[in-house]
Amino acid sequence: MALEETFAPRPVRDDARESFRDFPDWCQPILTWVSGKPLACSQPRFMVSPLAAITIDLGKYAAGVGGAALAWMAGGVWWLTLPLCWILTVNATRSLTSDAHYAGHGSVTGKVWVDKAIGDMISFLAFAINMNDYAIPHNTGHHGLFGIGTTADPDIGLIRIVGWEMGRSMRYYRWRWVLSLISPRYHLIYFYQRLKSTFVTAPYWRMALAWTLWPGVVALAVAQGWGMVLVMALLVPLWPLYAVSAALQFPSEHKWLALQAASEPRKDYLLRVSHGRFFLLPAPQGVAGWLRWSLGMVPMAFQRCFVCPSILPVHDYHHRNAGCKTWPMEPWHRQAEIDKGAIYTDYWGLIAPTEAQFAVWAAADDAASPRPFTFLSLLFPPAKPSLTGDFVE
């Protein structure tokens, strides 16, 4: 029986996206992109293939890095554009790691060895985890029958790096979440794991490329007096800002470590711990309403561009259809299932799902706390080291 046939229909005008249904056709694609959610019973205007999606993300990466380099060299008022260039670079980098994740599922060309090479190449640019370290643990652990929602899930590595403990107060989680964004320990360990996967544990050809290309780029930049250009255009977005994006995104992605009831079918549990995250406020009325809406959309747009880019808003669909070969169109596939009666859980913005996650951890037994990463554990890792959650998919 198809998934959508197992659920009862739901109303279609129950979310912020539907409140814009009567707006002009020209603005609907923009609203879909901003929110991450199409209108009910609508169709995409064109199809995007996996290779096209990767090409678009590589273009964003080049534009972000190149724009920041030009802005820094131009100086003066152009420095004000650096934050926009950094946001674009982080957006592109996290989109590329998502693309590499789908390559790890063999969902780019359908040929495992080709997709593995593609995944390694695009994750190489992002200093993300290589396919050897990532694909099998992710596919058998995070997507395995008993992985997601348990400490056996390799994607909970960020819990260990940040050092979240179970059974603490909501205030504790909120403060630790905020403080992790500026924690030197978090940033150093997180970047160390990414460097290790690039220069130490990667396939030989990727390590050879890393040890040849990146030192060459640094040497050329220093020789030409472009050291600060390299720092501002590449290092800043790929190190601290990428880590900030990951820390902001992770708690809202799943209800990590939520307990499964003894009588709860595993399929129902997997649906319960996954949800969609969308970024739009309901359509306002009047001049004052539009002013409040415009101000309120600033943090929404930031969350969408910096924290939850590409098709991450509909990550719950991926967990119902992990083998989807047309994954750039997942927002539309998800909506089509809803139109046929499937029930999905929607959150608007990142705060609500993050608070829901913190409530799960606050109610959990402290014995469920994953052993935190320390600098000592990096030198003497456990027999089965957890991954870093670079892809967080």
mmCIF file of all heavy atoms in Angstrom, residues 83-99:
data_model
loop_
_atom_site.group_PDB
_atom_site.id
_atom_site.type_symbol
_atom_site.label_atom_id
_atom_site.label_comp_id
_atom_site.label_asym_id
_atom_site.label_seq_id
_atom_site.Cartn_x
_atom_site.Cartn_y
_atom_site.Cartn_z
ATOM 1 N N PRO A 83 28.966 40.464 4.580
ATOM 2 C CA PRO A 83 28.020 39.528 5.204
ATOM 3 C C PRO A 83 27.105 38.839 4.201
ATOM 4 O O PRO A 83 26.788 37.648 4.358
ATOM 5 C CB PRO A 83 27.234 40.415 6.171
ATOM 6 C CG PRO A 83 28.166 41.534 6.504
ATOM 7 C CD PRO A 83 28.926 41.775 5.235
ATOM 8 N N LEU A 84 26.672 39.571 3.164
ATOM 9 C CA LEU A 84 25.817 38.949 2.151
ATOM 10 C C LEU A 84 26.588 37.880 1.378
ATOM 11 O O LEU A 84 26.042 36.809 1.077
ATOM 12 C CB LEU A 84 25.279 40.009 1.194
ATOM 13 C CG LEU A 84 24.352 41.064 1.806
ATOM 14 C CD1 LEU A 84 23.934 42.084 0.740
ATOM 15 C CD2 LEU A 84 23.117 40.403 2.417
ATOM 16 N N CYS A 85 27.856 38.164 1.062
ATOM 17 C CA CYS A 85 28.682 37.173 0.365
ATOM 18 C C CYS A 85 28.916 35.952 1.251
ATOM 19 O O CYS A 85 28.890 34.804 0.765
ATOM 20 C CB CYS A 85 30.018 37.795 -0.040
ATOM 21 S SG CYS A 85 29.890 39.129 -1.253
ATOM 22 N N TRP A 86 29.126 36.167 2.545
ATOM 23 C CA TRP A 86 29.332 35.037 3.458
ATOM 24 C C TRP A 86 28.074 34.175 3.567
ATOM 25 O O TRP A 86 28.162 32.947 3.583
ATOM 26 C CB TRP A 86 29.731 35.559 4.832
ATOM 27 C CG TRP A 86 31.097 36.173 4.877
ATOM 28 C CD1 TRP A 86 32.132 35.933 4.010
ATOM 29 C CD2 TRP A 86 31.579 37.129 5.826
ATOM 30 N NE1 TRP A 86 33.229 36.681 4.356
ATOM 31 C CE2 TRP A 86 32.928 37.418 5.474
ATOM 32 C CE3 TRP A 86 31.027 37.764 6.932
ATOM 33 C CZ2 TRP A 86 33.698 38.319 6.201
ATOM 34 C CZ3 TRP A 86 31.800 38.657 7.658
ATOM 35 C CH2 TRP A 86 33.118 38.925 7.293
ATOM 36 N N ILE A 87 26.925 34.835 3.645
ATOM 37 C CA ILE A 87 25.676 34.070 3.701
ATOM 38 C C ILE A 87 25.510 33.231 2.445
ATOM 39 O O ILE A 87 25.121 32.055 2.510
ATOM 40 C CB ILE A 87 24.477 35.015 3.897
ATOM 41 C CG1 ILE A 87 24.491 35.611 5.316
ATOM 42 C CG2 ILE A 87 23.157 34.281 3.648
ATOM 43 C CD1 ILE A 87 23.423 36.667 5.548
ATOM 44 N N LEU A 88 25.839 33.808 1.286
ATOM 45 C CA LEU A 88 25.732 33.063 0.034
ATOM 46 C C LEU A 88 26.700 31.883 0.021
ATOM 47 O O LEU A 88 26.339 30.780 -0.421
ATOM 48 C CB LEU A 88 26.015 33.993 -1.153
ATOM 49 C CG LEU A 88 25.963 33.344 -2.548
ATOM 50 C CD1 LEU A 88 24.592 32.726 -2.798
ATOM 51 C CD2 LEU A 88 26.298 34.364 -3.629
ATOM 52 N N THR A 89 27.914 32.085 0.524
ATOM 53 C CA THR A 89 28.895 30.997 0.546
ATOM 54 C C THR A 89 28.461 29.890 1.491
ATOM 55 O O THR A 89 28.573 28.702 1.168
ATOM 56 C CB THR A 89 30.274 31.526 0.959
ATOM 57 O OG1 THR A 89 30.678 32.555 0.052
ATOM 58 C CG2 THR A 89 31.309 30.410 0.939
ATOM 59 N N VAL A 90 27.970 30.258 2.671
ATOM 60 C CA VAL A 90 27.489 29.244 3.613
ATOM 61 C C VAL A 90 26.292 28.508 3.026
ATOM 62 O O VAL A 90 26.171 27.277 3.132
ATOM 63 C CB VAL A 90 27.135 29.883 4.974
ATOM 64 C CG1 VAL A 90 26.457 28.869 5.888
ATOM 65 C CG2 VAL A 90 28.387 30.438 5.643
ATOM 66 N N ASN A 91 25.378 29.256 2.405
ATOM 67 C CA ASN A 91 24.232 28.639 1.750
ATOM 68 C C ASN A 91 24.695 27.615 0.717
ATOM 69 O O ASN A 91 24.210 26.475 0.678
ATOM 70 C CB ASN A 91 23.393 29.733 1.081
ATOM 71 C CG ASN A 91 22.185 29.191 0.337
ATOM 72 O OD1 ASN A 91 22.319 28.522 -0.677
ATOM 73 N ND2 ASN A 91 20.998 29.503 0.826
ATOM 74 N N ALA A 92 25.656 28.015 -0.113
ATOM 75 C CA ALA A 92 26.156 27.117 -1.152
ATOM 76 C C ALA A 92 26.880 25.918 -0.563
ATOM 77 O O ALA A 92 26.703 24.779 -1.022
ATOM 78 C CB ALA A 92 27.095 27.892 -2.079
ATOM 79 N N THR A 93 27.683 26.157 0.473
ATOM 80 C CA THR A 93 28.463 25.070 1.064
ATOM 81 C C THR A 93 27.569 24.040 1.715
ATOM 82 O O THR A 93 27.759 22.828 1.552
ATOM 83 C CB THR A 93 29.463 25.631 2.085
ATOM 84 O OG1 THR A 93 30.248 26.653 1.474
ATOM 85 C CG2 THR A 93 30.390 24.542 2.594
ATOM 86 N N ARG A 94 26.565 24.505 2.454
ATOM 87 C CA ARG A 94 25.657 23.559 3.090
ATOM 88 C C ARG A 94 24.773 22.881 2.040
ATOM 89 O O ARG A 94 24.376 21.726 2.208
ATOM 90 C CB ARG A 94 24.816 24.252 4.157
ATOM 91 C CG ARG A 94 25.677 24.725 5.334
ATOM 92 C CD ARG A 94 24.852 25.016 6.573
ATOM 93 N NE ARG A 94 24.104 23.872 7.026
ATOM 94 C CZ ARG A 94 24.613 22.842 7.707
ATOM 95 N NH1 ARG A 94 25.911 22.811 7.988
ATOM 96 N NH2 ARG A 94 23.840 21.853 8.102
ATOM 97 N N SER A 95 24.462 23.568 0.956
ATOM 98 C CA SER A 95 23.726 22.932 -0.140
ATOM 99 C C SER A 95 24.574 21.848 -0.789
ATOM 100 O O SER A 95 24.072 20.766 -1.128
ATOM 101 C CB SER A 95 23.318 23.978 -1.179
ATOM 102 O OG SER A 95 22.438 24.947 -0.634
ATOM 103 N N LEU A 96 25.868 22.106 -0.953
ATOM 104 C CA LEU A 96 26.758 21.112 -1.543
ATOM 105 C C LEU A 96 26.912 19.894 -0.648
ATOM 106 O O LEU A 96 26.983 18.757 -1.144
ATOM 107 C CB LEU A 96 28.126 21.731 -1.834
ATOM 108 C CG LEU A 96 28.185 22.716 -3.010
ATOM 109 C CD1 LEU A 96 29.528 23.424 -3.050
ATOM 110 C CD2 LEU A 96 27.921 21.999 -4.337
ATOM 111 N N THR A 97 26.983 20.091 0.669
ATOM 112 C CA THR A 97 27.063 18.929 1.553
ATOM 113 C C THR A 97 25.776 18.119 1.485
ATOM 114 O O THR A 97 25.799 16.890 1.588
ATOM 115 C CB THR A 97 27.342 19.347 3.006
ATOM 116 O OG1 THR A 97 26.340 20.252 3.463
ATOM 117 C CG2 THR A 97 28.698 20.028 3.134
ATOM 118 N N SER A 98 24.637 18.803 1.302
ATOM 119 C CA SER A 98 23.379 18.089 1.106
ATOM 120 C C SER A 98 23.410 17.309 -0.204
ATOM 121 O O SER A 98 22.962 16.150 -0.267
ATOM 122 C CB SER A 98 22.206 19.079 1.113
ATOM 123 O OG SER A 98 20.973 18.422 0.883
ATOM 124 N N ASP A 99 23.951 17.918 -1.265
ATOM 125 C CA ASP A 99 24.081 17.220 -2.543
ATOM 126 C C ASP A 99 24.972 15.984 -2.389
ATOM 127 O O ASP A 99 24.666 14.904 -2.933
ATOM 128 C CB ASP A 99 24.693 18.146 -3.598
ATOM 129 C CG ASP A 99 23.858 19.381 -3.873
ATOM 130 O OD1 ASP A 99 22.652 19.374 -3.545
ATOM 131 O OD2 ASP A 99 24.409 20.361 -4.411
#
